[in-house]
Amino acid sequence: MSEVAVVGFAQAPNVRRTPGTTNGVEMLVPVFHRLFAETGLSKQDIGFWCSGSSDYLAGRAFSFIAAVDAIGAFPPIMESHVEMDAAWALYEAWVKIRTGEAETALVYGFGKSSAGELRRIMAMQMDPYLVTPLWPDSVGVAGLQARLGIEQGLWTEADMAEVAAASRRAALSNPDAQLSGETTAEELLKQPYLADPLRAHDCAPITDGAAAIILASGDKARELSERPAWITGFEHRVDTPMLGARDLTTSPSTIAAAKAAGVDGVQVAELHAPFTHQDILLRQALGLGEEVRVNPSGGVLAGHPMFAAGLIRIGAAAAEIRAGRADKALAHATSGPLLQQNLVCVLEGR
Amino acid sequence: MVTISSEPLSAPLNVGFDYTRSLGPVLGRFATGLRGHTIAGVRGSDGRVLVPPAEYDPVTAEKLTEFVDVGTEGVVQTWSWNAQPLDGQPLSHAFAWALVKLDGADTGLLHAVDAGSPDKMSTGMRVRVRWAAEPVGSIRDIECFEPLDAEPVERQPVVGDDVTMLTTPIHLRYDHTASPEESRYLRGLAEGKLLGQRCPACDKVYIPPRGSCPTDGVPTEDEVELPDHGVVTTFCVVNVPFLGQRIKPPYVAAYILLDGADIPFLHLVLGCDAAEVRMGMRVRAQWRPRDQWGTTLENIDHFEPSGEPDAPYESYAQHL
């Protein structure tokens, strides 16, 4: 089967609010143009297109069809879509190339979270019979998980604040970041609770954004990039949707995906942790030691465009490989409430 | 060129739908129980009592059938404080979200605890169900949980046929923004103008203009003011009445290709017998009185036959 590598990555600036439509066209067109300029490819060179987005976030049916306008889909293209983070669209594209159906693929994700009431819309991903009718908001539900870990001694509010401070410091070198700056855990802990035990800094910001990645197979990847980021492990697993029936202080699906993908020896990791305690939880679940650089981009606490944020983790990890700053990198993406479904992508330079 | 502000237009968009679902034997039994003030769990593959009940085991995916009634009091496993409740949540004043392990259960049930303030909340505290005033067979039949020292509220169970269906009203609010191109088009309409845009790559004129030419993937830029007359490319005669219909059937909905445009849009053709409408018929806009105009294509009430000779098929064959 074909080897597959990331050969291009671009994202729109992560911002609190864009004036554009919820179909993402205004954010995607410049992202595509940057990717084509970077790789020297044109739309005719792309064998397969796949996207991740959500109609509930957009407030309209088939919003991903409107987004196809950004491609200029003539002559007709081979195209697919997942109603989840575009990291899973990348998985579909990876399978397409692995099985020889395509030589190149462009994967994109977009989300205009500012159009609606994000933490309320997120109730739509819960069990529609027994949970969504209560409209549990994503921040309140995350607080349940954070407190379990605090009371079991797995992390403290100070540890969580340190994660937020580290994210903002790292994001100083990320021109697309929404939140960045010099701050300390002590300063952050002076802020009031948003949803006790969570403060605002514990929660990823509300972000509008979009991103895209180009994948290519074997020789094509070597032709397009001096140092492609080869995908050497790619797995995703899911835990039960019943929040009360699983151990919320760890992530069995992340552990299983990482084991299958083979993460030993990674030098850098980009984790999709929308809440500070989940950053700590994921490091513990993945067994990442002090020697592993985590979230050099600042991670999603510095900018969290829904349905693109997981894809951006893969793009950021690939950037570390392609720039020669690492030989083996881990990218993680999550979907569903409280890290229910998790994807691990291992990238290597040669 | 027409000088029009380029700030995008936006407006509130409220969408709603009553999702109606059948419950099946496991969730149906749980819902029926709640209406009668009992709480059913189910025994999982590992012997744990799962509440709410699962149809299939969360780990082994085995079909689960052994129901176990559990208590209506329990213990808080974890909680978070919700200082500003959102629409639709169990309580409209501040409350705690909690996982509550009911007596006899082995898993936590997500619900609200009406504790008054966060300092009244603690992990391990005991709480009891406060039943809803009008139970219907839903998780909302539990109004919330409350600390044991709260004044009990007397509420009556309901007995009746098994609950088989669940209706969940979903209402979501958005701020819908038109694209910059659509905004110019809509503002043009408010002045009685029909503004399209030409794709710089393929020269096609789109009305409404698009953020990106769907053929070429580039923004449409050059503005083109179009006349308010054109040709019927294709049409259908509406004979079927439906909810919200504003015109008495039969009437004609047609694709109108304005002269100079490369894409037709949908509008009404009135002012003649429905049977007279045909492909190639030339039509002209009938505008509403100017004092009723807004940023909408509804400023054109409908199109009417102009009386000119029909357009030859070849002139619009590429626009069907």
Side-chain angles (χ1 to χ4, degrees):
Chain A
M1 288 216 275
S2 309
E3 293 183 297
V4 182
V6 173
V7 296
F9 166 56
Q11 65 176 316
N14 290 197
V15 294
R16 176 61 182 83
R17 186 180 299 276
T18 53
T21 62
T22 56
N23 61 36
V25 168
E26 298 82 1
M27 293 188 286
L28 287 168
V29 167
V31 166
F32 290 172
H33 287 182
R34 271 165 52 202
L35 261 185
F36 290 144
E38 177 192 335
T39 57
L41 295 172
S42 67
K43 66 175 185 178
Q44 282 82 5
D45 299 317
I46 302 299
F48 180 60
W49 301 75
C50 200
S51 63
S53 68
S54 165
D55 281 358
Y56 280 124
L57 197 73
R60 57 193 296 190
F62 291 101
S63 58
F64 70 96
I65 298 291
V68 171
D69 272 8
I71 299 172
F74 187 86
I77 57 169
M78 179 155 61
E79 183 265 344
S80 184
H81 174 260
V82 298
E83 196 79 4
M84 51 196 315
D85 190 286
W88 276 264
L90 191 91
Y91 189 95
E92 182 175 336
W94 174 74
V95 171
K96 211 80 170 174
I97 297 176
R98 291 276 285 166
T99 53
E101 299 264 319
E103 194 179 32
T104 54
L106 192 151
V107 179
Y108 60 97
F110 63 94
K112 186 183 174 179
S113 301
S114 67
E117 207 174 354
L118 178 60
R119 63 193 177 119
R120 186 166 179 273
I121 289 170
M122 294 303 281
M124 300 304 296
Q125 70 176 332
M126 312 291 268
D127 177 328
Y129 299 90
L130 303 170
V131 184
T132 300
L134 301 169
W135 291 97
D137 56 282
S138 52
V139 175
V141 173
L144 300 175
Q145 185 180 39
R147 188 181 305 283
L148 279 170
I150 291 168
E151 294 187 344
Q152 292 179 25
L154 297 171
W155 52 76
T156 66
E157 291 180 32
D159 295 337
M160 290 156 57
E162 185 49 54
V163 168
S167 159
R168 292 188 194 180
R169 278 195 299 273
L172 284 167
S173 57
N174 176 356
D176 294 315
Q178 180 180 355
L179 295 180
S180 64
E182 284 292 347
T183 185
T184 62
E186 292 70 36
E187 278 304 307
L188 293 173
L189 285 168
K190 290 176 188 163
Q191 297 301 313
Y193 286 120
L194 178 66
D196 181 354
L198 300 178
R199 295 173 174 84
H201 66 250
D202 291 312
C203 312
I206 297 168
T207 305
D208 292 353
I213 281 178
I214 293 182
L215 295 178
S217 66
D219 288 343
K220 188 74 183 173
R222 280 181 280 270
E223 176 191 318
L224 291 170
S225 171
E226 281 186 16
R227 188 172 152 92
W230 298 99
I231 296 175
T232 57
F234 207 172
E235 301 285 341
H236 63 100
R237 298 288 188 274
V238 65
D239 292 311
T240 174
M242 295 184 65
L243 296 181
R246 65 179 162 108
D247 181 355
L248 295 173
T249 63
T250 184
S251 178
S253 55
T254 302
I255 293 169
K259 185 161 180 244
V263 301
D264 286 348
V266 299
Q267 296 152 319
V268 62
E270 279 282 341
L271 305 180
H272 187 181
F275 297 91
T276 51
H277 69 275
Q278 293 176 342
D279 181 288
I280 303 168
L281 187 160
L282 287 167
R283 289 174 201 240
Q284 292 174 350
L286 290 163
L288 300 180
E290 290 295 320
E291 73 285 2
V292 179
R293 288 186 293 130
V294 176
N295 290 345
S297 70
V300 297
L301 293 167
H304 190 218
M306 298 300 299
F307 301 92
L311 184 74
I312 293 169
R313 306 280 68 70
I314 298 172
E320 292 291 311
I321 299 286
R322 297 185 64 216
R325 290 190 292 269
D327 293 324
K328 187 169 184 181
L330 180 163
H332 161 267
T334 196
S335 183
L338 303 186
L339 304 173
Q340 186 204 347
Q341 184 170 9
N342 295 280
L343 173 150
V344 171
C345 181
V346 178
L347 301 133
E348 295 187 51
R350 287 172 196 156
Chain B
M1 291 285 278
V2 181
T3 307
I4 292 175
S5 159
S6 60
E7 198 64 13
L9 287 167
S10 68
L13 172 69
N14 300 319
V15 295
F17 186 70
D18 288 354
Y19 284 87
T20 303
R21 298 180 171 95
S22 57
L23 288 170
V26 174
L27 300 182
R29 179 159 176 160
F30 180 68
T32 304
L34 289 174
R35 197 187 53 184
H37 289 189
T38 62
I39 301 178
V42 72
R43 196 173 299 281
S45 301
D46 56 1
R48 290 192 301 172
V49 174
L50 308 169
V51 179
E55 295 172 303
Y56 300 92
D57 187 83
V59 178
T60 66
E62 181 190 2
K63 187 174 170 69
L64 302 178
T65 54
E66 185 189 341
F67 291 95
V68 181
D69 278 349
V70 298
T72 56
E73 288 186 13
V75 62
V76 169
Q77 294 178 302
T78 183
W79 60 277
S80 64
W81 191 251
N82 186 9
Q84 290 177 316
L86 305 177
D87 283 355
Q89 294 183 337
L91 298 166
S92 55
H93 56 266
F95 66 89
W97 289 115
L99 287 174
V100 176
K101 187 159 76 83
L102 293 164
D103 295 344
D106 294 299
T107 63
L109 171 76
L110 178 68
H111 220 297
V113 178
D114 189 7
S117 69
D119 56 8
K120 301 277 175 35
M121 286 299 303
S122 61
T123 300
M125 72 185 282
R126 288 191 61 79
V127 291
R128 68 164 174 257
V129 170
R130 180 195 298 161
W131 297 104
E134 292 175 9
V136 295
S138 143
I139 192 68
R140 300 296 293 257
D141 290 357
I142 298 175
E143 184 173 293
C144 62
F145 286 84
E146 59 191 12
L148 295 188
D149 60 6
E151 189 68 31
V153 182
E154 198 61 36
R155 294 276 162 80
Q156 295 306 313
V158 169
V159 181
D161 293 341
D162 287 351
V163 177
T164 59
M165 300 294 288
L166 175 72
T167 300
T168 306
I170 298 293
H171 292 277
L172 297 168
R173 292 190 304 271
Y174 300 87
D175 180 38
H176 182 75
T177 309
S179 70
E181 297 80 7
E182 289 166 339
S183 298
R184 291 183 64 78
Y185 158 78
L186 293 168
R187 287 195 171 99
L189 281 168
E191 297 179 7
K193 298 179 196 307
L194 291 161
L195 300 181
Q197 285 188 344
R198 189 185 303 278
C199 169
C202 67
D203 278 347
K204 288 209 166 93
V205 172
Y206 290 94
I207 184 164
R210 319 281 285 234
S212 175
C213 169
T215 299
D216 297 296
V218 295
T220 53
E221 284 162 357
D222 298 335
E223 197 156 271
V224 181
E225 186 172 350
L226 295 166
D228 66 352
H229 48 82
V231 59
V232 171
T233 60
T234 184
F235 66 99
C236 85
V237 181
V238 179
N239 285 299
V240 183
F242 56 85
L243 191 68
Q245 196 169 42
R246 287 186 287 186
I247 303 171
K248 193 173 178 314
Y251 62 91
V252 173
Y255 271 117
I256 313 289
L257 182 70
L258 296 179
D259 292 348
D262 287 291
I263 193 164
F265 55 71
L266 192 63
H267 218 299
L268 297 167
V269 174
L270 305 176
C272 65
D273 194 280
E276 288 177 32
V277 177
R278 56 200 178 270
M279 291 173 74
M281 178 186 242
R282 294 202 51 87
V283 291
R284 182 176 295 281
Q286 295 301 307
W287 294 79
R288 291 185 176 176
R290 182 177 271 270
D291 60 1
Q292 294 174 21
W293 288 358
T295 49
T296 168
L297 187 57
E298 289 180 357
N299 296 349
I300 295 178
D301 186 76
H302 61 272
F303 283 78
E304 284 188 3
S306 67
E308 301 160 90
D310 284 5
Y313 177 75
E314 299 72 39
S315 69
Y316 59 87
Q318 293 303 310
H319 302 294
L320 287 168

